[in-house]
Amino acid sequence: MRTPIFRYVMPFTAITSAALLLTACGSGSGGAGGTDAPGVAAKNAGIPTTDVVSAIRKDPAAAKLLPTGTTSLTVAVSVGGTPPGTAYLGDGKTLTGQDVDFTRAVARVLGIELKVEQASFDAILPALDSGKYDFGASNFGVTDERRKTVDFVTYVNDGQGFATREDSELKKITDLKQLCGLNVATGAGTTFEATLERNKHLCSEAGKKAYQVQTYSEPSAVWSSLQQGRSDVVMSTINGLRYAVAHQGGLKFLNEYHRLDVGFAFKKGSKLAPAFQAAVNKLLSDGSYERILKKWGTTGSAIKESRISPPEQTG
């Protein structure tokens, strides 16, 4: 595939960006849309550093499903949020997060090397078809719209939710018409932006002032807009919202809005998907999967089995 830089056998508990990130194309987020995880500086967040990956061994059956001759792959990641999304440790160089652990775990099961490149969240999916990256790992939510051009291999279940300031009168958001007249902050190029833009008409049809969608490439900017009063509410990943509320003062989690499967992203028709699916299922069967979720406090996002491009969840 491409010249390897990171050998999967290295006993690191996180990926060091100085060694792996060849291009810094900007920060993004991703969550159900990508690492849409919101953020304060990772170095201040008390990030867990337990090594839950280095003991994982190659599984010959899964590795056999890789295209012949595959020894290394290039993965695109979006950085800039806080755990459980992809973030930096306090040294400002080492990457960590749930997606990082799952990516490294799958690489170990398949016995391949990884070359990691950083890109903005909204640039990753469009670049897959060109072959610039072999796959993306930034908490990409599986939607029917995305499935038209991208294949996914699921590894967790996350989704969309809302958070706001503690002094806000907002309660549970079950209908987007509750947002009418408000400023809603979210990540650029995410499922959140798409959902909000697609449903703005609901306000005008109800005779109300439309909400305004404020998009940011930097997750930290999303939260600054809320804290400083430029926005009224944030829409982001369920796991990312819960983490932000737990680690930033003056915020409150409102509710889950829409659950989504999350998966590694590949160009349509990629022959890598079956091998990745088998690798995730191997992690599920040997206990590694549960250890990763426990590390990041996301056991509520567990799946029973990995699937390739399942239909978007309706509930």
Side-chain angles (χ1 to χ4, degrees), residues 120-179:
S120 62
F121 172 74
D122 52 355
I124 295 176
L125 296 185
L128 293 174
D129 190 57
S130 70
K132 184 176 183 180
Y133 313 120
D134 293 306
F135 69 104
S138 286
N139 204 39
F140 290 107
V142 181
T143 67
D144 289 337
E145 184 63 28
R146 284 177 172 170
R147 290 193 307 126
K148 295 176 182 178
T149 57
V150 177
D151 280 343
F152 295 94
V153 172
T154 61
Y155 58 95
V156 292
N157 181 269
D158 194 351
Q160 304 173 334
F162 293 97
T164 188
R165 294 182 299 275
E166 283 185 342
D167 61 2
S168 172
E169 296 182 359
L170 285 173
K171 305 297 182 184
K172 186 175 182 180
I173 305 295
T174 58
D175 186 330
L176 294 183
K177 291 195 293 292
Q178 294 172 256
L179 301 175

Short mmCIF file of all heavy atoms in Angstrom, two decimals, residues 120-179:
data_model
loop_
_atom_site.label_atom_id
_atom_site.label_comp_id
_atom_site.label_asym_id
_atom_site.label_seq_id
_atom_site.Cartn_x
_atom_site.Cartn_y
_atom_site.Cartn_z
N SER A 120 -8.71 17.45 8.41
CA SER A 120 -9.94 17.97 8.99
C SER A 120 -11.04 16.95 8.76
O SER A 120 -11.04 16.22 7.76
CB SER A 120 -10.32 19.31 8.36
OG SER A 120 -10.56 19.17 6.98
N PHE A 121 -11.97 16.90 9.69
CA PHE A 121 -13.01 15.87 9.64
C PHE A 121 -13.77 15.88 8.31
O PHE A 121 -14.00 14.84 7.70
CB PHE A 121 -13.99 16.09 10.80
CG PHE A 121 -15.19 15.20 10.73
CD1 PHE A 121 -15.09 13.86 11.02
CD2 PHE A 121 -16.42 15.70 10.33
CE1 PHE A 121 -16.19 13.02 10.93
CE2 PHE A 121 -17.52 14.88 10.24
CZ PHE A 121 -17.41 13.54 10.54
N ASP A 122 -14.15 17.07 7.84
CA ASP A 122 -14.97 17.14 6.64
C ASP A 122 -14.20 16.86 5.36
O ASP A 122 -14.79 16.78 4.29
CB ASP A 122 -15.69 18.50 6.54
CG ASP A 122 -14.75 19.68 6.67
OD1 ASP A 122 -13.56 19.47 6.94
OD2 ASP A 122 -15.23 20.82 6.50
N ALA A 123 -12.88 16.68 5.46
CA ALA A 123 -12.07 16.39 4.26
C ALA A 123 -11.81 14.90 4.08
O ALA A 123 -11.41 14.47 3.00
CB ALA A 123 -10.74 17.13 4.33
N ILE A 124 -12.05 14.11 5.11
CA ILE A 124 -11.63 12.70 5.06
C ILE A 124 -12.49 11.87 4.12
O ILE A 124 -11.98 11.18 3.23
CB ILE A 124 -11.62 12.09 6.48
CG1 ILE A 124 -10.55 12.77 7.34
CG2 ILE A 124 -11.36 10.58 6.41
CD1 ILE A 124 -10.53 12.31 8.79
N LEU A 125 -13.79 11.88 4.29
CA LEU A 125 -14.65 11.03 3.47
C LEU A 125 -14.51 11.33 1.98
O LEU A 125 -14.41 10.39 1.17
CB LEU A 125 -16.11 11.15 3.91
CG LEU A 125 -16.43 10.65 5.33
CD1 LEU A 125 -17.93 10.71 5.59
CD2 LEU A 125 -15.92 9.23 5.55
N PRO A 126 -14.50 12.59 1.55
CA PRO A 126 -14.33 12.86 0.12
C PRO A 126 -13.00 12.36 -0.44
O PRO A 126 -12.90 12.09 -1.65
CB PRO A 126 -14.42 14.39 0.03
CG PRO A 126 -15.21 14.79 1.23
CD PRO A 126 -14.77 13.83 2.31
N ALA A 127 -11.98 12.25 0.41
CA ALA A 127 -10.65 11.85 -0.07
C ALA A 127 -10.48 10.34 -0.19
O ALA A 127 -9.52 9.86 -0.79
CB ALA A 127 -9.58 12.40 0.87
N LEU A 128 -11.42 9.57 0.36
CA LEU A 128 -11.28 8.12 0.32
C LEU A 128 -11.35 7.57 -1.10
O LEU A 128 -10.60 6.66 -1.47
CB LEU A 128 -12.37 7.46 1.18
CG LEU A 128 -12.28 7.70 2.68
CD1 LEU A 128 -13.51 7.10 3.38
CD2 LEU A 128 -11.00 7.10 3.25
N ASP A 129 -12.22 8.11 -1.91
CA ASP A 129 -12.41 7.59 -3.26
C ASP A 129 -11.17 7.77 -4.12
O ASP A 129 -10.90 6.97 -5.02
CB ASP A 129 -13.61 8.27 -3.93
CG ASP A 129 -13.99 7.58 -5.23
OD1 ASP A 129 -14.26 6.36 -5.19
OD2 ASP A 129 -14.02 8.25 -6.28
N SER A 130 -10.40 8.82 -3.84
CA SER A 130 -9.19 9.08 -4.63
C SER A 130 -8.03 8.17 -4.25
O SER A 130 -7.03 8.12 -4.96
CB SER A 130 -8.76 10.54 -4.43
OG SER A 130 -8.27 10.74 -3.11
N GLY A 131 -8.17 7.48 -3.13
CA GLY A 131 -7.09 6.62 -2.67
C GLY A 131 -6.05 7.34 -1.84
O GLY A 131 -5.02 6.76 -1.49
N LYS A 132 -6.31 8.59 -1.48
CA LYS A 132 -5.37 9.33 -0.65
C LYS A 132 -5.17 8.64 0.69
O LYS A 132 -4.06 8.61 1.24
CB LYS A 132 -5.87 10.75 -0.44
CG LYS A 132 -4.90 11.64 0.34
CD LYS A 132 -5.42 13.07 0.42
CE LYS A 132 -4.41 13.97 1.15
NZ LYS A 132 -4.90 15.37 1.22
N TYR A 133 -6.26 8.12 1.24
CA TYR A 133 -6.22 7.34 2.47
C TYR A 133 -6.86 5.99 2.21
O TYR A 133 -7.79 5.87 1.41
CB TYR A 133 -7.00 8.05 3.59
CG TYR A 133 -6.71 9.51 3.74
CD1 TYR A 133 -7.73 10.45 3.60
CD2 TYR A 133 -5.43 9.97 4.03
CE1 TYR A 133 -7.47 11.81 3.74
CE2 TYR A 133 -5.17 11.33 4.17
CZ TYR A 133 -6.20 12.24 4.02
OH TYR A 133 -5.94 13.58 4.15
N ASP A 134 -6.39 4.96 2.91
CA ASP A 134 -7.01 3.65 2.79
C ASP A 134 -8.30 3.56 3.59
O ASP A 134 -9.23 2.85 3.21
CB ASP A 134 -6.04 2.56 3.24
CG ASP A 134 -4.84 2.45 2.31
OD1 ASP A 134 -5.06 2.29 1.10
OD2 ASP A 134 -3.69 2.54 2.79
N PHE A 135 -8.33 4.25 4.73
CA PHE A 135 -9.56 4.30 5.51
C PHE A 135 -9.52 5.48 6.47
O PHE A 135 -8.47 6.09 6.69
CB PHE A 135 -9.80 2.98 6.27
CG PHE A 135 -8.86 2.68 7.40
CD1 PHE A 135 -9.27 2.86 8.73
CD2 PHE A 135 -7.58 2.20 7.17
CE1 PHE A 135 -8.43 2.55 9.79
CE2 PHE A 135 -6.73 1.90 8.23
CZ PHE A 135 -7.15 2.07 9.53
N GLY A 136 -10.67 5.81 7.00
CA GLY A 136 -10.78 6.90 7.97
C GLY A 136 -11.25 6.35 9.29
O GLY A 136 -12.06 5.42 9.34
N ALA A 137 -10.75 6.93 10.39
CA ALA A 137 -11.12 6.50 11.73
C ALA A 137 -11.35 7.72 12.60
O ALA A 137 -10.48 8.13 13.36
CB ALA A 137 -10.04 5.60 12.33
N SER A 138 -12.53 8.31 12.47
CA SER A 138 -12.84 9.52 13.24
C SER A 138 -14.28 9.53 13.69
O SER A 138 -15.00 10.51 13.52
CB SER A 138 -12.53 10.77 12.40
OG SER A 138 -11.14 10.98 12.31
N ASN A 139 -14.72 8.40 14.25
CA ASN A 139 -16.07 8.31 14.80
C ASN A 139 -17.14 8.68 13.77
O ASN A 139 -18.07 9.42 14.06
CB ASN A 139 -16.20 9.20 16.04
CG ASN A 139 -17.30 8.73 16.98
OD1 ASN A 139 -17.49 7.53 17.18
ND2 ASN A 139 -18.01 9.65 17.58
N PHE A 140 -16.99 8.13 12.56
CA PHE A 140 -17.94 8.44 11.49
C PHE A 140 -19.27 7.72 11.70
O PHE A 140 -19.32 6.49 11.77
CB PHE A 140 -17.37 8.05 10.13
CG PHE A 140 -16.23 8.92 9.69
CD1 PHE A 140 -14.93 8.45 9.69
CD2 PHE A 140 -16.46 10.22 9.28
CE1 PHE A 140 -13.88 9.25 9.29
CE2 PHE A 140 -15.42 11.03 8.87
CZ PHE A 140 -14.12 10.56 8.88
N GLY A 141 -20.34 8.49 11.77
CA GLY A 141 -21.67 7.92 11.90
C GLY A 141 -22.14 7.34 10.58
O GLY A 141 -21.91 7.90 9.51
N VAL A 142 -22.80 6.20 10.65
CA VAL A 142 -23.30 5.52 9.46
C VAL A 142 -24.69 6.06 9.12
O VAL A 142 -25.65 5.80 9.85
CB VAL A 142 -23.35 3.99 9.67
CG1 VAL A 142 -23.84 3.30 8.40
CG2 VAL A 142 -21.98 3.46 10.08
N THR A 143 -24.78 6.78 8.03
CA THR A 143 -26.06 7.31 7.57
C THR A 143 -26.35 6.78 6.17
O THR A 143 -25.43 6.41 5.43
CB THR A 143 -26.05 8.85 7.52
OG1 THR A 143 -25.15 9.29 6.49
CG2 THR A 143 -25.62 9.43 8.86
N ASP A 144 -27.63 6.76 5.81
CA ASP A 144 -28.00 6.28 4.49
C ASP A 144 -27.40 7.17 3.40
O ASP A 144 -27.02 6.67 2.33
CB ASP A 144 -29.52 6.25 4.36
CG ASP A 144 -30.15 5.14 5.19
OD1 ASP A 144 -29.43 4.16 5.50
OD2 ASP A 144 -31.34 5.24 5.53
N GLU A 145 -27.30 8.46 3.65
CA GLU A 145 -26.71 9.37 2.67
C GLU A 145 -25.24 9.05 2.46
O GLU A 145 -24.76 8.98 1.32
CB GLU A 145 -26.87 10.81 3.14
CG GLU A 145 -26.37 11.85 2.15
CD GLU A 145 -27.13 11.85 0.84
OE1 GLU A 145 -28.32 11.47 0.83
OE2 GLU A 145 -26.53 12.24 -0.19
N ARG A 146 -24.51 8.83 3.53
CA ARG A 146 -23.09 8.50 3.40
C ARG A 146 -22.87 7.14 2.76
O ARG A 146 -21.89 6.93 2.04
CB ARG A 146 -22.43 8.53 4.79
CG ARG A 146 -22.18 9.93 5.31
CD ARG A 146 -21.58 9.90 6.70
NE ARG A 146 -21.16 11.23 7.13
CZ ARG A 146 -20.79 11.54 8.35
NH1 ARG A 146 -20.77 10.60 9.29
NH2 ARG A 146 -20.42 12.76 8.66
N ARG A 147 -23.77 6.20 3.00
CA ARG A 147 -23.61 4.85 2.45
C ARG A 147 -23.68 4.83 0.92
O ARG A 147 -23.28 3.86 0.29
CB ARG A 147 -24.67 3.90 3.01
CG ARG A 147 -24.47 3.59 4.48
CD ARG A 147 -25.32 2.41 4.94
NE ARG A 147 -26.73 2.58 4.61
CZ ARG A 147 -27.46 1.69 3.94
NH1 ARG A 147 -26.92 0.56 3.52
NH2 ARG A 147 -28.73 1.92 3.69
N LYS A 148 -24.16 5.90 0.32
CA LYS A 148 -24.21 5.97 -1.15
C LYS A 148 -22.81 6.03 -1.75
O LYS A 148 -22.60 5.58 -2.88
CB LYS A 148 -25.01 7.19 -1.58
CG LYS A 148 -26.48 7.15 -1.20
CD LYS A 148 -27.19 8.44 -1.59
CE LYS A 148 -28.64 8.44 -1.16
NZ LYS A 148 -29.32 9.73 -1.49
N THR A 149 -21.86 6.59 -1.01
CA THR A 149 -20.52 6.80 -1.55
C THR A 149 -19.40 6.20 -0.70
O THR A 149 -18.25 6.19 -1.13
CB THR A 149 -20.25 8.30 -1.72
OG1 THR A 149 -20.42 8.96 -0.46
CG2 THR A 149 -21.20 8.91 -2.74
N VAL A 150 -19.74 5.73 0.50
CA VAL A 150 -18.72 5.24 1.43
C VAL A 150 -19.18 3.92 2.04
O VAL A 150 -20.37 3.73 2.31
CB VAL A 150 -18.48 6.27 2.57
CG1 VAL A 150 -17.48 5.74 3.59
CG2 VAL A 150 -18.01 7.60 2.00
N ASP A 151 -18.23 3.01 2.26
CA ASP A 151 -18.52 1.77 2.99
C ASP A 151 -18.04 1.93 4.43
O ASP A 151 -17.04 2.61 4.69
CB ASP A 151 -17.82 0.57 2.35
CG ASP A 151 -18.56 0.05 1.14
OD1 ASP A 151 -19.76 0.37 0.98
OD2 ASP A 151 -17.94 -0.68 0.34
N PHE A 152 -18.73 1.28 5.35
CA PHE A 152 -18.39 1.36 6.77
C PHE A 152 -18.26 -0.03 7.37
O PHE A 152 -18.94 -0.97 6.95
CB PHE A 152 -19.48 2.11 7.54
CG PHE A 152 -19.63 3.56 7.17
CD1 PHE A 152 -20.56 3.95 6.22
CD2 PHE A 152 -18.84 4.53 7.77
CE1 PHE A 152 -20.70 5.29 5.87
CE2 PHE A 152 -18.98 5.87 7.43
CZ PHE A 152 -19.91 6.24 6.48
N VAL A 153 -17.40 -0.13 8.37
CA VAL A 153 -17.32 -1.32 9.21
C VAL A 153 -17.56 -0.85 10.64
O VAL A 153 -16.75 -0.10 11.20
CB VAL A 153 -15.96 -2.02 9.10
CG1 VAL A 153 -15.87 -3.14 10.13
CG2 VAL A 153 -15.76 -2.59 7.70
N THR A 154 -18.66 -1.24 11.23
CA THR A 154 -19.06 -0.68 12.52
C THR A 154 -18.23 -1.23 13.68
O THR A 154 -17.82 -2.39 13.68
CB THR A 154 -20.55 -0.94 12.80
OG1 THR A 154 -20.79 -2.35 12.83
CG2 THR A 154 -21.41 -0.31 11.71
N TYR A 155 -18.02 -0.36 14.69
CA TYR A 155 -17.32 -0.82 15.89
C TYR A 155 -17.89 -0.25 17.18
O TYR A 155 -17.60 -0.78 18.25
CB TYR A 155 -15.81 -0.52 15.81
CG TYR A 155 -15.41 0.92 15.62
CD1 TYR A 155 -15.09 1.73 16.69
CD2 TYR A 155 -15.33 1.46 14.34
CE1 TYR A 155 -14.70 3.06 16.51
CE2 TYR A 155 -14.94 2.77 14.15
CZ TYR A 155 -14.62 3.57 15.23
OH TYR A 155 -14.25 4.88 15.03
N VAL A 156 -18.69 0.78 17.14
CA VAL A 156 -19.42 1.25 18.32
C VAL A 156 -20.74 1.85 17.88
O VAL A 156 -21.02 2.00 16.69
CB VAL A 156 -18.64 2.33 19.14
CG1 VAL A 156 -17.43 1.75 19.81
CG2 VAL A 156 -18.28 3.53 18.29
N ASN A 157 -21.57 2.18 18.85
CA ASN A 157 -22.84 2.85 18.59
C ASN A 157 -22.86 4.12 19.43
O ASN A 157 -22.76 4.06 20.66
CB ASN A 157 -24.01 1.94 18.96
CG ASN A 157 -25.34 2.58 18.69
OD1 ASN A 157 -25.91 3.23 19.57
ND2 ASN A 157 -25.87 2.40 17.50
N ASP A 158 -22.93 5.26 18.78
CA ASP A 158 -22.92 6.54 19.50
C ASP A 158 -24.15 7.32 19.07
O ASP A 158 -25.26 6.85 19.26
CB ASP A 158 -21.61 7.28 19.20
CG ASP A 158 -21.33 8.44 20.14
OD1 ASP A 158 -22.23 8.80 20.93
OD2 ASP A 158 -20.23 9.00 20.08
N GLY A 159 -24.00 8.49 18.51
CA GLY A 159 -25.16 9.20 18.01
C GLY A 159 -25.16 10.67 18.32
O GLY A 159 -24.14 11.26 18.70
N GLN A 160 -26.31 11.28 18.15
CA GLN A 160 -26.48 12.72 18.26
C GLN A 160 -27.16 13.11 19.57
O GLN A 160 -28.06 12.41 20.04
CB GLN A 160 -27.34 13.23 17.09
CG GLN A 160 -26.79 12.87 15.73
CD GLN A 160 -27.74 13.24 14.61
OE1 GLN A 160 -28.96 13.31 14.80
NE2 GLN A 160 -27.20 13.46 13.42
N GLY A 161 -26.73 14.23 20.13
CA GLY A 161 -27.33 14.70 21.35
C GLY A 161 -27.15 16.20 21.50
O GLY A 161 -26.59 16.87 20.62
N PHE A 162 -27.61 16.74 22.62
CA PHE A 162 -27.55 18.18 22.87
C PHE A 162 -27.01 18.49 24.26
O PHE A 162 -27.20 17.72 25.20
CB PHE A 162 -28.95 18.80 22.75
CG PHE A 162 -29.54 18.76 21.37
CD1 PHE A 162 -30.41 17.75 21.01
CD2 PHE A 162 -29.21 19.74 20.43
CE1 PHE A 162 -30.95 17.71 19.74
CE2 PHE A 162 -29.75 19.70 19.15
CZ PHE A 162 -30.63 18.69 18.81
N ALA A 163 -26.35 19.63 24.37
CA ALA A 163 -25.89 20.15 25.66
C ALA A 163 -25.98 21.66 25.61
O ALA A 163 -25.99 22.28 24.54
CB ALA A 163 -24.46 19.72 25.96
N THR A 164 -26.02 22.26 26.78
CA THR A 164 -26.12 23.72 26.85
C THR A 164 -25.51 24.21 28.16
O THR A 164 -24.91 23.44 28.91
CB THR A 164 -27.60 24.16 26.73
OG1 THR A 164 -27.66 25.59 26.61
CG2 THR A 164 -28.41 23.69 27.92
N ARG A 165 -25.66 25.50 28.44
CA ARG A 165 -25.16 26.05 29.71
C ARG A 165 -26.11 25.68 30.85
O ARG A 165 -27.31 25.48 30.64
CB ARG A 165 -25.03 27.58 29.60
CG ARG A 165 -23.99 28.06 28.61
CD ARG A 165 -23.90 29.58 28.61
NE ARG A 165 -25.16 30.21 28.23
CZ ARG A 165 -25.54 30.41 26.97
NH1 ARG A 165 -24.75 30.04 25.96
NH2 ARG A 165 -26.70 30.97 26.70
N GLU A 166 -25.55 25.61 32.04
CA GLU A 166 -26.36 25.25 33.20
C GLU A 166 -27.49 26.24 33.45
O GLU A 166 -28.54 25.87 33.97
CB GLU A 166 -25.49 25.15 34.44
CG GLU A 166 -24.67 23.87 34.51
CD GLU A 166 -23.90 23.76 35.81
OE1 GLU A 166 -23.73 24.79 36.49
OE2 GLU A 166 -23.46 22.64 36.15
N ASP A 167 -27.28 27.51 33.09
CA ASP A 167 -28.30 28.53 33.36
C ASP A 167 -29.36 28.60 32.27
O ASP A 167 -30.28 29.42 32.33
CB ASP A 167 -27.65 29.90 33.55
CG ASP A 167 -26.88 30.37 32.31
OD1 ASP A 167 -26.87 29.65 31.30
OD2 ASP A 167 -26.27 31.47 32.38
N SER A 168 -29.27 27.73 31.26
CA SER A 168 -30.24 27.74 30.18
C SER A 168 -31.57 27.15 30.63
O SER A 168 -31.62 26.24 31.46
CB SER A 168 -29.72 26.94 28.99
OG SER A 168 -30.73 26.79 27.99
N GLU A 169 -32.64 27.66 30.08
CA GLU A 169 -33.97 27.13 30.36
C GLU A 169 -34.32 25.94 29.47
O GLU A 169 -35.38 25.33 29.64
CB GLU A 169 -35.02 28.23 30.19
CG GLU A 169 -34.87 29.38 31.18
CD GLU A 169 -35.95 30.45 31.01
OE1 GLU A 169 -36.81 30.28 30.10
OE2 GLU A 169 -35.94 31.43 31.77
N LEU A 170 -33.44 25.61 28.55
CA LEU A 170 -33.70 24.48 27.66
C LEU A 170 -33.77 23.18 28.44
O LEU A 170 -32.99 22.94 29.35
CB LEU A 170 -32.60 24.37 26.61
CG LEU A 170 -32.62 25.38 25.46
CD1 LEU A 170 -31.37 25.23 24.61
CD2 LEU A 170 -33.87 25.20 24.61
N LYS A 171 -34.74 22.36 28.04
CA LYS A 171 -34.88 21.04 28.64
C LYS A 171 -34.57 20.00 27.57
O LYS A 171 -33.83 20.26 26.64
CB LYS A 171 -36.31 20.86 29.18
CG LYS A 171 -36.73 21.96 30.16
CD LYS A 171 -35.87 21.97 31.41
CE LYS A 171 -36.33 23.04 32.38
NZ LYS A 171 -35.44 23.14 33.58
N LYS A 172 -35.12 18.85 27.66
CA LYS A 172 -34.91 17.78 26.70
C LYS A 172 -35.36 18.19 25.30
O LYS A 172 -36.48 18.67 25.13
CB LYS A 172 -35.66 16.52 27.15
CG LYS A 172 -35.41 15.30 26.31
CD LYS A 172 -36.11 14.09 26.92
CE LYS A 172 -35.82 12.82 26.11
NZ LYS A 172 -36.49 11.64 26.69
N ILE A 173 -34.49 18.00 24.29
CA ILE A 173 -34.82 18.34 22.91
C ILE A 173 -35.30 17.08 22.19
O ILE A 173 -34.51 16.22 21.82
CB ILE A 173 -33.61 18.94 22.16
CG1 ILE A 173 -33.05 20.14 22.92
CG2 ILE A 173 -33.99 19.31 20.73
CD1 ILE A 173 -33.99 21.32 23.00
N THR A 174 -36.58 16.96 22.01
CA THR A 174 -37.14 15.81 21.31
C THR A 174 -37.66 16.17 19.93
O THR A 174 -37.95 15.30 19.12
CB THR A 174 -38.30 15.21 22.13
OG1 THR A 174 -39.30 16.22 22.34
CG2 THR A 174 -37.80 14.71 23.48
N ASP A 175 -37.80 17.47 19.66
CA ASP A 175 -38.30 17.97 18.39
C ASP A 175 -37.44 19.17 18.02
O ASP A 175 -37.27 20.09 18.84
CB ASP A 175 -39.77 18.38 18.56
CG ASP A 175 -40.43 18.78 17.24
OD1 ASP A 175 -39.74 19.28 16.35
OD2 ASP A 175 -41.65 18.60 17.13
N LEU A 176 -36.92 19.19 16.80
CA LEU A 176 -36.03 20.28 16.40
C LEU A 176 -36.75 21.63 16.38
O LEU A 176 -36.09 22.67 16.39
CB LEU A 176 -35.41 19.99 15.03
CG LEU A 176 -34.44 18.80 14.99
CD1 LEU A 176 -33.82 18.65 13.61
CD2 LEU A 176 -33.36 18.95 16.05
N LYS A 177 -38.07 21.62 16.39
CA LYS A 177 -38.80 22.89 16.46
C LYS A 177 -38.56 23.59 17.79
O LYS A 177 -38.80 24.78 17.93
CB LYS A 177 -40.29 22.67 16.22
CG LYS A 177 -40.64 22.27 14.79
CD LYS A 177 -42.12 22.40 14.50
CE LYS A 177 -42.96 21.41 15.28
NZ LYS A 177 -42.73 20.03 14.83
N GLN A 178 -38.09 22.84 18.78
CA GLN A 178 -37.74 23.44 20.06
C GLN A 178 -36.53 24.36 19.94
O GLN A 178 -36.27 25.18 20.83
CB GLN A 178 -37.45 22.36 21.11
CG GLN A 178 -38.66 21.52 21.49
CD GLN A 178 -38.28 20.35 22.37
OE1 GLN A 178 -38.22 19.21 21.92
NE2 GLN A 178 -37.99 20.62 23.64
N LEU A 179 -35.79 24.24 18.84
CA LEU A 179 -34.61 25.06 18.60
C LEU A 179 -34.92 26.33 17.84
O LEU A 179 -34.04 27.19 17.68
CB LEU A 179 -33.56 24.25 17.81
CG LEU A 179 -33.07 22.95 18.44
CD1 LEU A 179 -32.15 22.23 17.47
CD2 LEU A 179 -32.35 23.23 19.76
#
